[in-house]
Amino acid sequence: EVKNKIKEAMLAKDQAALITYRNIVSTFTNELVAKGRKPNEMLNDEEALAVLKRMIKKAKKAIELFKQGNRTDLVEKEEAEIKIMEAYAEEKTDHS
């Protein structure tokens, strides 16, 4: 599923989506390893949603810090990534 999103982002030349989906894949893999599972396994939808929620929470915290540092460029980047993650989480919820 996420790998299809990466392919779509590549074809659309959407750098923000490509980076975000690659980050999601990496974070999913890290979650599997942390749970003692093989990196090529898949998380179930509930696990994937939990990871996405943590990623979104972390990005929102980063936005707060970037705003304090007057880094509007990074705020915009994080906000774009949050939108992509939220849309993907919504898709996962709709398919559950």
Side-chain angles (χ1 to χ4, degrees), residues 9-23:
M10 288 174 73
L11 291 171
K13 297 184 188 321
D14 184 343
Q15 264 323 99
L18 181 60
I19 291 167
T20 303
Y21 288 125
R22 283 183 174 162
N23 189 24

Side-chain angles (χ1 to χ4, degrees), residues 31-90:
E31 182 74 7
L32 286 166
V33 171
K35 290 179 177 278
R37 292 161 57 188
K38 294 180 183 176
N40 61 344
E41 291 183 39
M42 290 185 65
L43 296 173
N44 64 40
D45 285 347
E46 185 177 304
E47 292 169 322
L49 286 169
V51 170
L52 286 166
K53 286 179 184 175
R54 283 198 314 265
M55 291 176 73
I56 291 166
K57 184 178 179 181
K58 183 178 175 182
K60 287 180 178 180
K61 182 67 175 171
I63 286 172
E64 291 175 27
L65 296 173
F66 293 145
K67 283 181 178 177
Q68 290 173 10
N70 293 319
R71 292 297 310 267
T72 56
D73 56 325
L74 296 175
V75 169
E76 291 170 4
K77 177 187 165 293
E78 290 292 329
E79 287 174 341
E81 290 180 11
I82 287 172
K83 286 180 185 175
I84 293 165
M85 287 186 283
E86 286 177 338
Y88 185 67
E90 193 172 307

